Amino acid sequence: MSDTSDILISVRGLSFSRGSRQIFDDIDIDIKRGSVTAIMGPSGTGKTTLLRLIGGQLRPDKGNVVVDGEDVHALRRGQLYQLRKRMGMLFQNGALLTDINVYDNVAFPLREHTHLPERLIRDLVLMKLHAVGLRGARDLMPSELSGGMLRRVALARAIALDPMMIMYDEPFTGQDPISMGVLVRLIRLLNDTLGLTSIIVSHDIAETAAIADDIYLLSGGKVVAHGSADELKQSGSEWAKQFIQGLPDGPVPFHYPADDYAHDLLSGGPN
Amino acid sequence: MTTRLTEIWVGIFIAAGLAALFVLAMKVSNLSTYNRDGGYEVTARFEDISGLKVRSPVTMAGVRIGRVTNIGFDKNTFEAVVTMRVEARYNTLPKDSSASIYTAGLLGEKYVSLAPGGDEQSLHQGDRIKLTQDSMVLEKLIGQFVSRFMNSSSEKSSSK
Amino acid sequence: MKSVLDHLQSLGQKGTGVFERLGRANILFARILAGVPGLFLRPNLVIQQVYSVGVLSLLIILVSGLFVGMVLGLQGYNTLVDFGAEESLGVVVALSLVRELGPVVTALLFAGRAGSALTAEIGLMKATEQLSAMEMMAIDPIRRVLTPRFLAGFISMPLLAAIFSAVGIMGGYFVGVGLLGVDDGAYWSQMQDKVDLYDDIYNGVIKSIVFGIIVTWIAVFEGYDATPTSEGVSRATTRTVVHSSLAVLAMDFILTALMFGGG
């Protein structure tokens, strides 16, 4: 049952805590079809957790997540798996299966979920690898790939089943400028040519702002700013200002909460 | 994807394992001399069977022809009732054969030895072997020797 | 300075923690078994695992079995010769191996070699998010990764134990008959007389099947449950070897008492 409205994913009143930490506190997020939406925020705000909640790997304490008209956490195991076939996910380190080569990694979802003959699978795999520029690397093992190449192969795998959306978990972290440029280009290109909806979780401002249509800024478990890149630059919000400009101190403090400095130094005893 | 080599090795492995099991069953165990079903049961009563166990061998002329299948106790006559299963092919045992309990070797296990009688009729299922000789109990034997020794030495001293 | 209450509390926490783990382990076991029927359509997965779990353990089992059998031959002879009963060496070697040493030593070696490898492999897959990636690709990692490995252990253990016993008996033969002069015929004929197919061999096979289930279950669970860091995986691997070894020895006592107790 597909929903043809504008919004592909709608998150309402989502609350989630892990142990004693409240990670999300009643947040609302809308992801529009066909757009590239960025979820940004300082490290540790649980951005990866959000992707897991959308994908149904974690259950929220309160609130719901609706993907293409279906409430993710109300689905039974079989239905959830059907939904996941339409979602692609790119993990931070690629998460390729290390005991098989590039070709078999990209072919993996095709072999598991379809009964296509090997000839057809070969065509599909080569097409996906070509789209990310790694068709020539198909016989390499994951251990022989650089970080950037790993992620591109993982991207090829993520689009193997022609999903309706892709979630990117920190795709730009730790990449050299060239790899970063490649990935940025690929994400936008694939999104537009394949008619995907993309969610990027990141804290790399420059790269993400260059391709994102919509940006959500999270901090302290809440959405503190929302809008396009230009809107955020011009907004008066302290959060937006600190994040976009990369200021060391502001709403996200420099100092981890601690006692008074003079008192701590002068008391002289054990911690 | 499994390579051909992998599959060959797995095949060798499973074949080796099954072969080992087969070898254990055939050469190591008593499968070849196994005969649980078939055969006929006879009983014999003893005053003392000490040491005889279920599954102890039953022999005649030194050849194993069966096994002890049950050991019971008669509450009225206070005798041990030994049930034995003799293999079907040995169906010409005379009806008046006798059964004795011997020890294999000095410290070995007990077994039932049947000695043939002269009767023309053979033992059948459910028959009872009438002539029996008890198991030799080491303590009684030593006791006999000691008392005989004491008697002979006291005779010698009394005849001095 | 922890008070007595604090210590009691942490003890209680550890206790409930143990039950929690047992619960998780049981749930995992049920889910692993649920994936078994599906594997009939994909025997390749199991074959691959039987190779890595069974075939690669063959060498250590063969060598260990041979040496254990030879030692049994030597020690058995030394003890029996005092009673003039060295002709019974075959019985001693065969029964020791088939009833006890075959299943138990094989299980311990298996836990160390194959069990730890399974835990490390699965733990590493968890730490590098490969299991998570499979989930997001709508593939149940338990059915795809754990069940084939579990079946492989279940199949391999009894075969390895049988090979161990068979090789050990040959080892005892080489030492006893070949080196120490025990009569060739007596070695085998006494063995054949005293080793019972049902009571000894059958029970030995049952033991090795039970041990196979225990060791593989623990190995697979510890890997799946490991903390996804390098330290976590290393601790999980150690736990596999220790826990499965202890479990095997404890189960051995229980099974032996059930099977052979009371004469």
Side-chain angles (χ1 to χ4, degrees):
Chain A
M1 193 200 62
S2 273
D3 186 357
T4 49
S5 80
D6 212 18
I7 310 284
L8 181 64
I9 301 175
S10 122
V11 175
R12 288 282 173 277
L14 186 74
S15 292
F16 182 76
S17 55
R18 186 172 272 141
S20 53
R21 261 193 3 131
Q22 182 79 15
I23 302 196
F24 297 121
D25 189 6
D26 195 27
I27 59 172
D28 295 336
I29 293 181
D30 282 330
I31 314 274
K32 295 200 192 62
R33 261 175 218 279
S35 72
V36 174
T37 307
I39 312 279
M40 306 183 71
S43 305
T45 41
K47 307 189 290 295
T48 309
T49 313
L50 182 62
L51 293 183
R52 290 187 194 272
L53 283 163
I54 294 177
Q57 282 182 318
L58 294 172
R59 283 206 107 80
D61 298 332
K62 281 202 291 273
N64 62 13
V65 176
V66 177
V67 174
D68 199 26
E70 303 190 58
D71 183 343
V72 169
H73 300 98
L75 296 175
R76 284 196 322 269
R77 168 100 58 80
Q79 295 166 317
L80 181 59
Y81 271 61
Q82 291 295 67
L83 182 61
R84 282 186 183 156
K85 285 187 207 172
R86 301 193 286 145
M87 299 178 177
M89 179 140 172
L90 188 64
F91 288 81
Q92 199 163 338
N93 61 0
L96 296 179
L97 300 178
T98 45
D99 49 337
I100 53 182
N101 66 14
V102 164
Y103 180 94
D104 290 323
N105 259 291
V106 179
F108 187 73
L110 291 169
R111 288 187 180 134
E112 292 287 319
H113 289 305
T114 70
H115 297 294
L116 296 173
E118 278 302 307
R119 292 176 295 109
L120 213 52
I121 290 184
R122 184 175 181 278
D123 292 341
L124 285 168
V125 169
L126 291 182
M127 283 199 293
K128 308 295 177 187
L129 281 175
H130 186 77
V132 302
L134 287 177
R135 188 166 46 90
R138 76 190 103 151
D139 293 320
L140 294 177
M141 296 296 289
S143 51
E144 299 171 299
L145 300 174
S146 71
M149 292 166 78
L150 269 176
R151 285 175 197 192
R152 286 198 275 161
V153 175
L155 183 48
R157 181 180 71 177
I159 57 172
L161 291 177
D162 290 320
M164 64 183 175
M165 58 179 266
I166 300 197
M167 297 187 275
Y168 298 87
D169 188 3
E170 309 259 7
F172 310 121
T173 309
Q175 295 297 288
D176 66 85
I178 299 179
S179 309
M180 207 119 64
V182 168
L183 272 167
V184 167
R185 190 184 99 108
L186 271 178
I187 293 177
R188 188 76 235 187
L189 197 61
L190 288 175
N191 191 77
D192 297 336
T193 55
L194 297 177
L196 299 170
T197 304
S198 306
I199 308 175
I200 306 179
V201 154
S202 172
H203 47 245
D204 288 291
I205 291 287
E207 288 67 32
T208 320
I211 54 171
D213 300 319
D214 205 13
I215 301 181
Y216 280 86
L217 207 51
L218 296 179
S219 184
K222 292 198 178 301
V223 176
V224 295
H226 169 212
S228 74
D230 290 329
E231 282 168 11
L232 285 182
K233 275 205 195 91
Q234 287 153 13
S235 90
S237 154
E238 284 300 307
W239 292 97
K241 198 161 127 215
Q242 183 188 12
F243 197 73
I244 303 244
Q245 295 179 24
L247 301 172
D249 207 10
V252 179
F254 177 71
H255 286 288
Y256 193 80
D259 293 335
D260 178 59
Y261 191 28
H263 185 251
D264 214 358
L265 271 184
L266 296 175
S267 62
N271 304 12
Chain B
M1 287 283 105
T2 48
T3 64
R4 197 165 150 69
L5 191 61
T6 308
E7 289 172 355
I8 292 176
W9 270 112
V10 170
I12 293 179
F13 170 62
I14 296 188
L18 291 175
L21 277 172
F22 191 70
V23 160
L24 287 178
M26 290 283 126
K27 281 215 75 187
V28 171
S29 82
N30 55 8
L31 185 61
S32 41
T33 53
Y34 213 66
N35 199 356
R36 244 181 209 217
D37 311 304
Y40 58 97
E41 282 189 335
V42 295
T43 58
R45 289 165 176 260
F46 298 85
E47 280 185 9
D48 196 331
I49 58 148
S50 65
L52 190 70
K53 292 202 285 275
V54 175
R55 283 187 60 227
S56 294
V58 176
T59 68
M60 180 178 273
V63 177
R64 194 179 75 75
I65 58 170
R67 288 210 183 267
V68 174
T69 55
N70 189 52
I71 295 181
F73 181 69
D74 189 325
K75 288 186 295 190
N76 299 318
T77 61
F78 306 117
E79 285 172 319
V81 183
V82 176
T83 313
M84 301 168 269
R85 182 173 285 280
V86 181
E87 287 175 29
R89 48 192 166 143
Y90 303 118
N91 55 0
T92 54
L93 304 181
K95 237 181 158 54
D96 59 345
S97 300
S98 61
S100 316
I101 300 182
Y102 291 132
T103 314
L106 201 56
L107 297 171
E109 59 171 32
K110 304 282 190 202
Y111 65 98
V112 179
S113 174
L114 302 180
D119 199 330
E120 279 186 359
Q121 287 186 9
S122 307
L123 284 172
H124 294 300
Q125 169 77 25
D127 282 346
R128 191 182 130 201
I129 297 178
K130 305 255 173 22
L131 291 167
T132 61
Q133 182 186 312
D134 296 334
S135 162
M136 174 186 69
V137 181
L138 212 55
E139 294 88 352
K140 283 189 194 161
L141 203 63
I142 295 176
Q144 282 179 357
F145 271 116
V146 170
S147 55
R148 211 177 291 171
F149 183 71
M150 300 298 271
N151 284 342
S152 66
S153 58
S154 64
E155 275 173 16
K156 281 196 193 140
S157 53
S158 65
S159 65
K160 272 199 184 131
Chain C
M1 259 283 287
K2 269 182 157 187
S3 71
V4 178
L5 276 176
D6 284 333
H7 280 293
L8 279 176
Q9 187 199 11
S10 60
L11 194 65
Q13 259 182 342
K14 289 210 183 94
T16 49
V18 167
F19 282 108
E20 247 186 285
R21 298 192 91 231
L22 272 175
R24 282 203 299 275
N26 277 296
I27 294 175
L28 186 66
F29 192 63
R31 290 181 68 183
I32 288 176
L33 289 183
V36 170
L39 281 178
F40 284 111
L41 299 169
R42 313 192 52 175
N44 268 325
L45 288 178
V46 181
I47 292 177
Q48 181 68 43
Q49 291 311 314
V50 170
Y51 178 81
S52 90
V53 152
V55 174
L56 293 183
S57 303
L58 253 187
L59 188 61
I60 189 175
I61 294 296
L62 283 173
V63 174
S64 306
L66 187 65
F67 279 119
V68 169
M70 295 200 299
V71 166
L72 272 177
L74 207 50
Q75 291 283 37
Y77 183 85
N78 284 339
T79 310
L80 289 172
V81 85
D82 286 347
F83 293 95
E86 65 267 15
E87 307 286 283
S88 305
L89 185 62
V91 181
V92 167
V93 170
L95 285 181
S96 309
L97 283 168
V98 168
R99 284 183 183 177
E100 289 298 325
L101 293 178
V104 174
V105 174
T106 304
L108 294 177
L109 292 172
F110 187 76
R113 200 250 127 221
S116 63
L118 279 177
T119 303
E121 188 189 6
I122 296 175
L124 204 59
M125 287 179 93
K126 186 178 183 189
T128 53
E129 293 190 295
Q130 289 178 49
L131 297 182
S132 214
M134 275 192 221
E135 268 191 319
M136 284 311 296
M137 287 192 276
I139 294 162
D140 186 354
I142 294 180
R143 290 190 187 205
R144 188 66 173 55
V145 173
L146 299 191
T147 306
R149 286 165 173 76
F150 178 78
L151 266 188
F154 177 77
I155 293 173
S156 302
M157 252 296 299
L159 296 177
L160 288 171
I163 293 175
F164 186 94
S165 296
V167 169
I169 290 175
M170 292 312 297
Y173 177 80
F174 291 140
V175 167
V177 175
L179 291 177
L180 296 171
V182 173
D183 178 51
D184 181 300
Y187 188 86
W188 294 108
S189 64
Q190 290 228 10
M191 189 196 299
Q192 286 178 345
D193 201 42
K194 290 283 172 45
V195 176
D196 184 65
L197 182 68
Y198 281 107
D199 287 347
D200 298 317
I201 301 207
Y202 184 67
N203 279 336
V205 171
I206 300 278
K207 272 193 187 180
S208 58
I209 292 179
V210 170
F211 295 159
I213 293 177
I214 291 176
V215 172
T216 321
W217 178 12
I218 292 179
V220 152
F221 169 71
E222 290 292 347
Y224 189 73
D225 203 53
T227 313
T229 64
S230 54
E231 198 208 329
V233 172
S234 130
R235 266 184 295 140
T237 311
T238 313
R239 269 206 300 269
T240 288
V241 178
V242 171
H243 287 188
S244 50
S245 301
L246 291 176
V248 162
L249 292 172
M251 259 332 260
D252 182 50
F253 173 71
I254 294 174
L255 288 175
T256 306
L258 283 174
M259 293 169 177
F260 300 106

